[in-house]
Amino acid sequence: MDTMQLYNSLTREKEPFKTHEPGKVSMYTCGPTVYHFAHIGNLRSYIMEDVLEKALRWEGYDVKRVMNITDVGHLSSDADTGEDKMVKGAKRENKTVMDIAKFYTDAFFADCEKLNIKYPDVVQPATGMIEEYIKTITKLMDTGYAYFAGGNVYFDTSKLKKYYVFNDHDAEDLQSGVREGVEEDPNKKNKNDFVLWFTKSKFEDQALKWDSPWGVGYPGWHIECSCISMKYLGEYLDIHCGGIDNAFPHHTNEIAQSEAYLGHPWCSHWFHIRHLNTNSGKMSKSKGEFLTVSLLEEKGYEPLVYRLFCLQSHYRRALVFSWENLDNAKAAYDKLIARVGAITDEGEKDETAMKPYREQFQTALDNDLNTSLAVTALYDVLKSDLNGASKRALIASFDEVLGLELIPQAMARKEKESAAPAGEDTAGIEALIKARAEAKAAKNWAEADRIRDELKAQGIELIDTKEGTTWKRA
Ligand code: AMP
Ligand code: ZN
């Protein structure tokens, strides 16, 4: 423990990762805005945050991770203009905002499960915290950090010693998080003041509204994350994560209001993931054209292939997606699994011989979460002359962080291969397995059991695993 060097966006340096309480990490992640499916760019951020969490756990920290679900208040521009994204999503699909929120929250976590991203210890939808926002905003009003103008409550950025915390560029350069062509809000005293509570916006059809001391309205996006983090993780946050686009204005505003509220520094470490881009630019939900995990699956890629694709490059470098690059990751993943599957069970674990490989792996993680070097450590184990038991133990250990499911996948594939006598046409069996999976998804248990019995009568035994169902001859 205490050996990890991580880049901190706040200090713009790689530095030893320190926690407020020894051995414990409080970690906050900006969750998805649930008005559409997550695209694989969003999921790059969540995969790398998952690897960070697992690396910290692997090194012995007790991690508590909290994530919000943005189901209100995130406007089309990350600043305070445009329509609420949730309302836009509801209109697009002719459903209520809450229906949309539930559907896309479930879809998000289903994608996470496929990518082996751990479910956070706490997941808090923004709509469930209205009282906390009101309490925090009331204190900001009472202490002069917030003001009421034109029906909305704004944070007064001029009250801070330093507002632009993430870099030294001048104010103009920092407008990248704000879309071009956005109208100025005449109620703001300073250009970067931001809304804490809306009662008036151009869009009168905001679906969800709550009573407040300032009138019926809804919270701004930024206050959500500050309040959710402080409620579950207290006054001192060890690490806050998100995609790089969140650094400004979202995280900058989170820091402004949290520190003004608390009266002391709040979060010591900021972990930002660069974007996944396509050749035509950044992948974005609002453009409506984006790649999802389901699409990758339809095209025949296992989701974990995409996880490996992400691990092969560093989180602080922009990553360009192309089908060719994904094909390379697929080939690498298939080969890895075949190699893991080929490890024999001979020997006893030899801890002394294993030690340098563990150290190599840890050094990679400690070097600003260098996942591609961590994957190299895995290849080095496979290439080594360690006995089978030691190799398997190291691979299982590394995979606690990498999350590639190497041993279970290798076992599932081997069982599949040994199940089919050479030349046997297995298409009929596979079709029945698929039909059973569909019956189970539709909660038609009787039909699922009938199919299992039909296969049993043919001498086929089904094995249900996390990765899906395989079979063998009974
Ligand atoms: P959103 O659902 O839009 O609130 O975004 C969810 C997360 O994905 C945030 O942490 C964003 O910073 C991150 N994100 C958005 N676009 C990308 C991208 N193209 N590549 C990587 N992360 C992204
Ligand atoms: Zn946030």
Side-chain angles (χ1 to χ4, degrees):
M1 244 192 267
D2 288 345
T3 53
M4 191 181 274
Q5 294 272 328
L6 267 188
Y7 182 84
N8 185 355
S9 311
L10 208 52
T11 56
R12 274 159 282 132
E13 270 172 27
K14 261 199 233 178
E15 57 187 36
F17 177 64
K18 292 247 182 307
T19 60
H20 189 67
E21 271 186 70
K24 288 195 168 174
V25 178
S26 54
M27 180 174 185
Y28 186 83
T29 299
C30 289
T33 309
V34 283
Y35 72 111
H36 220 318
F37 291 108
H39 57 62
I40 60 169
N42 301 128
L43 290 161
R44 177 192 192 197
S45 287
Y46 294 110
I47 288 170
M48 300 319 284
E49 292 164 2
D50 180 65
V51 176
L52 173 66
E53 176 185 355
K54 288 175 175 164
L56 290 167
R57 288 184 194 274
W58 193 84
E59 302 214 355
Y61 285 102
D62 176 8
V63 183
K64 181 171 177 188
R65 175 143 177 229
V66 176
M67 183 189 281
N68 68 304
I69 298 290
T70 302
D71 53 1
V72 67
H74 193 172
L75 304 191
S76 297
S77 149
D78 284 353
D80 305 321
T81 48
E83 199 173 9
D84 187 310
K85 291 187 181 192
M86 294 301 298
V87 175
K88 232 171 138 176
K91 278 190 194 156
R92 186 187 65 232
E93 298 186 18
N94 233 339
K95 292 190 185 143
T96 67
V97 163
M98 282 336 258
D99 284 345
I100 292 277
K102 161 123 190 47
F103 179 82
Y104 287 115
T105 302
D106 291 349
F108 172 72
F109 286 115
D111 284 346
C112 287
E113 201 176 328
K114 287 179 188 164
L115 291 164
N116 209 0
I117 296 170
K118 184 182 164 296
Y119 192 81
D121 300 296
V122 177
V123 173
Q124 175 64 64
T127 45
M129 292 275 298
I130 303 299
E131 269 180 41
E132 273 83 356
Y133 310 142
I134 292 176
K135 188 186 92 188
T136 307
I137 299 168
T138 302
K139 182 166 172 193
L140 292 173
M141 286 288 272
D142 291 348
T143 49
Y145 281 104
Y147 59 93
F148 185 76
N152 298 329
V153 180
Y154 294 86
F155 187 91
D156 186 347
T157 53
S158 70
K159 291 281 178 334
L160 302 171
K161 275 200 210 95
K162 191 172 181 197
Y163 171 65
Y164 296 110
V165 285
F166 286 117
N167 52 45
D168 288 335
H169 298 139
D170 60 31
E172 290 304 317
D173 290 347
L174 281 156
Q175 291 303 312
S176 60
V178 183
R179 307 285 175 275
E180 275 173 36
V182 161
E183 291 165 42
E184 291 283 319
D185 177 347
N187 296 321
K188 292 186 182 182
K189 288 192 197 162
N190 313 288
K191 188 159 146 213
N192 285 300
D193 290 357
F194 53 91
V195 177
L196 298 166
W197 187 268
F198 287 98
T199 71
K200 293 254 176 323
S201 82
K202 262 195 329 203
F203 297 94
E204 287 304 325
D205 55 351
Q206 178 69 21
L208 299 174
K209 291 185 188 181
W210 295 265
D211 204 5
S212 84
W214 316 284
V216 175
Y218 60 103
W221 173 39
H222 316 297
I223 195 75
E224 299 174 2
C225 286
S226 288
C227 290
I228 292 171
S229 168
M230 286 192 274
K231 172 168 178 181
Y232 293 104
L233 297 169
E235 292 193 8
Y236 295 93
L237 179 61
D238 292 318
I239 188 159
H240 193 309
C241 314
I244 189 70
D245 59 308
N246 282 166
F248 184 82
H250 183 49
H251 293 162
T252 306
N253 292 349
E254 276 187 50
I255 294 171
Q257 64 206 0
S258 300
E259 299 197 348
Y261 175 78
L262 292 168
H264 61 68
W266 169 52
C267 175
S268 48
H269 201 108
W270 289 82
F271 180 86
H272 287 123
I273 302 104
R274 298 259 157 203
H275 281 158
L276 178 84
N277 298 318
T278 58
N279 285 332
S280 52
K282 184 190 139 185
M283 198 169 289
S284 110
K285 279 193 230 183
S286 52
K287 284 190 208 154
E289 279 175 25
F290 52 79
L291 298 174
T292 59
V293 170
S294 312
L295 194 90
L296 298 189
E297 284 181 301
E298 275 165 34
K299 289 186 178 279
Y301 298 93
E302 285 174 66
L304 292 177
V305 165
Y306 180 63
R307 186 170 172 114
L308 177 62
F309 172 81
C310 291
L311 295 184
Q312 285 168 330
S313 47
H314 196 252
Y315 74 91
R316 276 199 301 121
R317 291 242 170 100
L319 178 59
V320 178
F321 178 84
S322 72
W323 292 107
E324 198 187 343
N325 291 346
L326 193 65
D327 281 336
N328 290 338
K330 181 174 163 39
Y333 189 61
D334 283 340
K335 209 162 163 195
L336 258 179
I337 286 174
R339 290 176 71 179
V340 171
I343 298 172
T344 55
D345 257 338
E346 34 88 40
E348 297 270 308
K349 265 197 309 180
D350 179 347
E351 290 290 346
T352 317
M354 285 158 69
K355 196 163 171 256
Y357 294 94
R358 266 193 218 286
E359 284 171 358
Q360 183 187 346
F361 185 71
Q362 179 164 355
T363 304
L365 299 180
D366 285 350
N367 181 8
D368 195 18
L369 204 71
N370 194 322
T371 48
S372 73
L373 283 181
V375 172
T376 304
L378 183 77
Y379 279 109
D380 286 350
V381 169
L382 285 167
K383 270 194 284 192
S384 72
D385 51 11
L386 290 167
N387 65 27
S390 306
K391 281 188 183 173
R392 285 176 81 88
L394 281 171
I395 288 163
S397 168
F398 295 0
D399 215 20
E400 286 169 22
V401 179
L402 302 176
L404 295 169
E405 301 269 318
L406 295 170
I407 293 177
Q409 288 273 353
M411 277 164 58
R413 287 193 193 185
K414 262 168 105 177
E415 293 214 7
K416 217 169 188 169
E417 281 159 21
S418 62
E424 183 181 57
D425 174 16
T426 57
I429 298 167
E430 295 292 354
L432 280 171
I433 290 177
K434 189 160 174 260
R436 176 170 165 267
E438 282 163 8
K440 277 168 85 174
K443 297 198 169 32
N444 187 348
W445 312 117
E447 172 66 358
D449 286 347
R450 191 197 63 70
I451 296 173
R452 176 187 278 277
D453 291 344
E454 186 185 329
L455 285 166
K456 200 170 176 190
Q458 294 174 31
I460 304 296
E461 193 184 307
L462 298 184
I463 306 150
D464 291 319
T465 71
K466 213 174 131 202
E467 291 71 37
T469 303
T470 60
W471 56 274
K472 63 178 186 187
R473 296 224 160 261

